Amino acid sequence: MAHEPRSEAPVSPSRDATDIRAELDSASWATVLAPRLAQFAAVARHEHVTRAARELGVPQSTLSRAMVRLELDLGVTLFARQGRTVSLTPAGRGFLASVERALGEVERSAESVRADADPQSGRVAFGFLHTLGPETVPALLRAFRADHPRIRFQLAQNHGEAMLSGLRAGELDLCLTSPVPDAPDLVGRRLDEQRLCLVVPADHRLASRRRVRLAEASGELFVSLEPGYGLRRITDALCAEAGFTPRVAFEGEEAETLRGLVAAGLGVALLPPPLVPRPGVVELSVTAPRAVREIGVAWLAGHPDTAPVAAFKKFLLGRRGQLIPD
């Protein structure tokens, strides 16, 4: 349950420490102390309440009360006072060292966030499928950076479900995935489609063919990506449309690993075309059902974009139909 914020009314040094502790039970130390840390550091730096108040732009009386309240909350005397001139006690010096580190970390964090949002040199956290890594994504980034040479990218290769989790967790701004997600908390836009081939060993009974109906592979062992990968779901759906459930003998995480398993005669696979031809396998066009996978871009619904993310999103949406080379 949320607690009402505590009043900042003037406090008396004679208040019992038990009363102070009771108030602190309703809030964390960070919540209670954070607003006063910069004030404490300014007073410690100037060793004078009036000069510190002038720097902070607050009334001297307000700052004095805040420092008394800070000491009461901590139950420790931080300052030795001679009028408006103050000096740190040993406890105050120890506290100041920690406060300065904390304020420095806040400053660095704020600068990092601001730098990431800079329109000219900000950062985009971009995820994509492993199969798009060798060719598609490098070509996209090269084209985008022709007009945005200073924008930085944090790249993540993973399977579709992991990337959607990354969007939800705030770890990714955008991702290229397949199939295009259909979820209320995500936005997905179709960009292109990529044909899938039935990959068979070079000495397979179908290897002399150029085209094949997927149903002709119903009796074969399949090698496939693991459950959770988009291509695995597409493979299962296409086989179901062809009238059978694939018997999966081996599961992996990389399309090229699966090609190696096919070349070794351990099964057949539905895969996107390779970047370069792979010895020991034959890639067959699938005539029925239509074997393609949609490639799309996804992002978190209702999530405001920084300027770099907005620019890259606009660029990707402008590549509809041009993402995957023929």
Side-chain angles (χ1 to χ4, degrees):
M1 178 181 296
H3 296 278
E4 294 296 326
R6 298 185 308 167
S7 169
E8 288 298 326
V11 296
S12 167
S14 64
R15 291 180 64 205
D16 190 273
T18 303
D19 296 333
I20 305 295
R21 297 295 175 181
E23 290 184 6
L24 287 171
D25 286 342
S26 67
S28 70
W29 281 111
T31 302
V32 171
L33 299 181
R36 304 190 187 102
L37 295 185
Q39 294 174 327
F40 167 75
V43 174
R45 183 169 58 254
H46 287 285
E47 296 187 332
H48 197 281
V49 177
T50 301
R51 288 196 291 268
R54 188 179 304 122
E55 176 190 302
L56 295 171
V58 299
Q60 178 270 326
S61 57
T62 299
L63 186 57
S64 293
R65 287 197 300 270
M67 292 303 96
V68 171
R69 186 62 176 266
L70 177 61
E71 291 177 309
L72 287 171
D73 284 346
L74 290 172
V76 174
T77 300
L78 301 173
F79 297 103
R81 293 169 172 82
Q82 297 87 34
R84 290 175 182 167
T85 301
V86 298
S87 61
L88 288 170
T89 65
R93 284 195 295 274
F95 188 54
L96 177 62
S98 297
V99 166
E100 288 178 332
R101 286 195 297 271
L103 292 175
E105 184 60 31
V106 170
E107 185 72 20
R108 286 187 292 273
S109 297
E111 287 302 318
S112 176
V113 169
R114 288 170 57 84
D116 285 348
D118 185 274
Q120 303 302 319
S121 60
R123 180 182 67 94
V124 179
F126 179 46
F128 52 91
L129 301 169
H130 290 282
T131 50
L132 300 178
E135 183 176 49
T136 301
V137 168
L140 283 173
L141 297 182
R142 181 175 62 247
F144 177 74
R145 282 172 63 89
D147 293 324
H148 303 84
R150 295 173 55 205
I151 286 182
R152 298 168 287 120
F153 282 84
Q154 177 184 326
L155 302 177
Q157 289 178 272
N158 218 321
H159 62 88
E161 288 300 321
M163 288 192 295
L164 300 186
S165 295
L167 291 177
R168 292 182 171 109
E171 297 165 356
L172 293 176
D173 298 310
L174 301 165
C175 69
L176 287 182
T177 189
S178 177
V180 181
D182 180 15
D185 61 335
L186 299 173
V187 180
R189 295 287 183 267
R190 181 183 182 278
L191 296 179
D192 212 338
E193 65 180 29
Q194 185 177 39
R195 65 185 178 89
L196 301 176
C197 301
L198 182 67
V199 185
V200 302
D203 59 356
H204 192 270
R205 62 183 177 84
L206 297 173
S208 61
R209 304 266 296 276
R210 294 181 60 189
R211 298 177 179 84
V212 67
R213 290 178 295 108
L214 187 56
E216 295 180 72
S218 61
E220 302 289 338
L221 292 176
F222 275 71
V223 298
S224 183
L225 296 179
E226 296 175 350
Y229 284 68
L231 187 56
R232 172 63 176 269
R233 295 200 300 276
I234 293 169
T235 295
D236 291 347
L238 287 172
C239 290
E241 190 175 348
F244 70 96
T245 299
R247 294 183 298 140
V248 178
F250 294 91
E251 296 175 336
E253 298 180 346
E254 293 278 357
E256 288 311 302
T257 299
L258 299 186
R259 270 195 175 81
L261 296 174
V262 173
L266 300 176
V268 302
L270 274 173
L271 296 173
L275 183 59
V276 295
R278 172 77 182 245
V281 301
V282 175
E283 315 268 340
L284 304 177
S285 296
V286 179
T287 58
R290 186 168 180 265
V292 297
R293 65 169 179 172
E294 290 187 336
I295 307 293
V297 60
W299 60 88
L300 194 62
H303 187 73
D305 293 330
T306 63
V309 172
F312 190 54
K313 182 188 293 183
K314 181 179 179 181
F315 168 81
L316 290 175
L317 294 174
R319 305 286 288 194
R320 286 190 179 98
Q322 308 170 46
L323 193 72
I324 305 298
D326 295 332

